[in-house]
Amino acid sequence: MDLRIEKLISGAYGLAHDEEGRAILVKSALEGETVRCKSISRRANVLVSEDYEILKPSEMRIAPSCPHYGKCGGCDFLCVSESTSSLLKTMMVKENLNRITKIDDTSFFLPPSYSSFPSFRSRCRLHVDLRTKEIGFLQRGSNSLHPLSDCPALTGRINDLLKSRDEILKEAQRRRLLYGINKKTGYVEVPVQDGDDGFSLNDRIITAGGYSINANCFFQSNLALLPEMLSFVKENAVGSVIMDLYSGVGTFSRLFEGEGKTVYAVEKNPQCLSLSKKNAPTAHSFTSDALLFSKKVRERVDTLIVDPPRVGLENAIIPILLSWNAERIIYVSCDSTTAARDLSFFNGYRISRAKVFDFYPGSFHEECVFILSKI
Ligand SMILES: C[S@@+](CC[C@H](N)C(=O)[O-])C[C@H]1O[C@@H](n2cnc3c(N)ncnc32)[C@H](O)[C@@H]1O
């Protein structure tokens, strides 16, 4: 079946309609392209095609710079340059805002920031087959392993680990005994974090950009772009009381060290919070679920920073956050669909600035910071 791609939507899918008007999502197909689908499958009520021939390519399309592209599930958007990727992701974020919050005027968006693709990624989760001793990512759209001995997205040090294999296999053995194998895939997952002074595969602490981190705790994976995002967050914070919810290893709390501000760091993972205490020693740090903690807050809050996981904020927390009446809310999001849903409930605020930081060139993942000012 031949289809014309109408537009690119979240997840790096090209949206098209067949003759009967049924929507079909074509993975990594770009607006304006004509494709011939070789197969179409139904996934969670949506028709999806991953196997197609491009009859008329977009002018934006480039040859992928990785020999594994198309087979390996690590990247699914290596078909455009880094600058185009950041512009297309900005367009997708704007579209989600339009659709979900009904905001038409998105002139508050600043130009996106991006990094180059090679070696951008300092953090990943490798899958290990302990029977064959193979290491890699899952194949695209599958639970089978795509073995790798090199990956252009990963830093040089992680590539060295992939080549020598011993350290990762040893950690995989240890994790198999501790946590077992992933029942869906049959593999063991090993988190890898690269830093300035070495790597971590577990709770071994290393440093990156002045932060103490380890592989077990979340940390942003594009270290080249991180300083720019941190500056953006800091320059938009106002007042002297900062509430950093979903604070991880204190990534944002640390920005205010030595500034005489009162900072609260709230994170439910105790391992992350103990690193947060090292990174932002003067912040008041709490190991807690954000919702439970927020119910107890009686203090004034000038700037509220939220950086929730992909699922976004819990419904119940939003009225509590609004009741604090903070002058500024900074919403850091890795999924603009859930962010737009949440932002539609932030009555009394307007988005004054927004900016995409393309932390994951080569993949559909987006990262966007929304600055909300009180009306
Ligand atoms: C996207 S990460 C952001 C971490 C940090 N702000 C950063 O940029 O490095 C989200 C963090 O929220 C934490 N988290 C998830 N659900 C939570 C909850 N209900 N309450 C508190 N923290 C939570 C996770 O452990 C994770 O560290």
Side-chain angles (χ1 to χ4, degrees), residues 218-220 229 244-252 266-269 272 288-291 307-309 314 334:
F218 175 89
F219 196 62
Q220 303 290 354
M229 194 254 245
D244 181 10
L245 293 186
Y246 311 90
S247 57
V249 298
T251 312
F252 301 125
V266 183
E267 161 63 46
K268 77 169 180 190
N269 178 330
C272 296
S288 172
D289 171 74
L291 174 61
D307 183 7
E314 281 175 87
C334 56

Side-chain angles (χ1 to χ4, degrees), residues 37-338:
C37 297
K38 296 182 187 161
S39 67
I40 295 175
S41 57
R42 184 172 284 280
R43 247 184 254 160
N45 247 356
V46 190
L47 296 173
V48 178
S49 178
E50 299 240 6
D51 187 13
Y52 58 90
E53 184 190 335
I54 301 169
L55 301 179
K56 184 181 156 244
S58 158
E59 281 176 5
M60 290 184 286
R61 185 170 284 279
I62 58 165
S65 56
C66 173
H68 306 288
Y69 186 68
K71 293 163 267 170
C72 171
C75 294
D76 56 2
F77 203 47
L78 211 42
C79 52
V80 293
S81 70
E82 293 94 330
S83 62
T84 304
S85 161
S86 68
L87 291 171
L88 291 177
K89 287 179 188 178
T90 301
M91 204 188 68
M92 286 187 265
V93 175
K94 283 182 181 176
E95 173 126 346
N96 282 334
L97 272 189
N98 282 156
R99 188 169 49 83
I100 299 167
T101 65
K102 309 289 177 222
I103 292 173
D104 295 325
D105 180 3
T106 49
S107 54
F108 47 73
F109 268 88
L110 300 168
S113 290
Y114 58 92
S115 74
S116 66
F117 173 76
S119 309
F120 84 86
R121 194 162 177 175
S122 60
R123 179 179 174 77
C124 66
R125 255 188 125 68
L126 293 169
H127 297 258
V128 181
D129 187 337
L130 281 171
R131 294 155 300 188
T132 61
K133 310 271 185 277
E134 286 175 320
I135 303 168
F137 291 129
L138 295 181
Q139 289 173 17
R140 194 188 274 197
S142 146
N143 278 332
S144 303
L145 193 71
H146 180 79
L148 290 169
S149 57
D150 68 289
C151 165
L154 297 174
T155 61
R157 200 180 269 129
I158 303 183
N159 270 299
D160 289 345
L161 285 170
L162 272 177
K163 278 193 189 78
S164 60
R165 302 179 342 138
D166 289 356
E167 300 271 4
I168 295 171
L169 291 174
K170 225 188 305 161
E171 179 62 18
Q173 293 281 11
R174 195 183 76 87
R175 285 185 177 258
R176 183 174 62 90
L177 294 175
L178 277 177
Y179 313 113
I181 55 167
N182 180 320
K183 294 217 169 58
K184 253 201 217 158
T185 61
Y187 308 130
V188 179
E189 288 173 32
V190 176
V192 186
Q193 176 74 62
D194 192 8
D196 302 332
D197 54 353
F199 65 88
S200 171
L201 303 177
N202 39 47
D203 57 3
R204 176 172 178 262
I205 298 174
I206 55 171
T207 60
Y211 287 88
S212 294
I213 56 176
N214 70 32
N216 286 347
C217 292
F218 175 89
F219 196 62
Q220 303 290 354
S221 46
N222 188 327
L223 296 180
L225 204 49
L226 181 59
E228 223 181 298
M229 194 254 245
L230 295 179
S231 302
F232 186 65
V233 168
K234 187 169 181 193
E235 80 195 28
N236 281 290
V238 296
S240 57
V241 184
I242 314 286
M243 178 70 72
D244 181 10
L245 293 186
Y246 311 90
S247 57
V249 298
T251 312
F252 301 125
S253 294
R254 181 180 165 82
L255 299 174
F256 307 100
E257 281 295 300
E259 302 218 332
K261 296 188 195 290
T262 305
V263 177
Y264 297 93
V266 183
E267 161 63 46
K268 77 169 180 190
N269 178 330
Q271 223 186 104
C272 296
L273 201 86
S274 73
L275 289 171
S276 179
K277 284 182 183 161
K278 276 174 170 279
N279 292 323
T282 65
H284 302 281
S285 304
F286 297 90
T287 309
S288 172
D289 171 74
L291 174 61
L292 294 181
F293 178 85
S294 64
K295 286 181 178 163
K296 294 186 224 142
V297 171
R298 299 287 172 268
E299 293 76 6
R300 189 188 88 227
V301 175
D302 296 324
T303 293
L304 164 64
I305 303 173
V306 290
D307 183 7
R310 195 167 296 283
V311 290
L313 297 171
E314 281 175 87
N315 264 347
I317 203 174
I318 296 177
I320 302 174
L321 303 184
L322 290 178
S323 73
W324 297 346
N325 214 16
E327 194 61 39
R328 183 62 47 86
I329 298 178
I330 302 179
Y331 191 129
V332 182
S333 159
C334 56
D335 184 330
S336 59
T337 317
T338 55

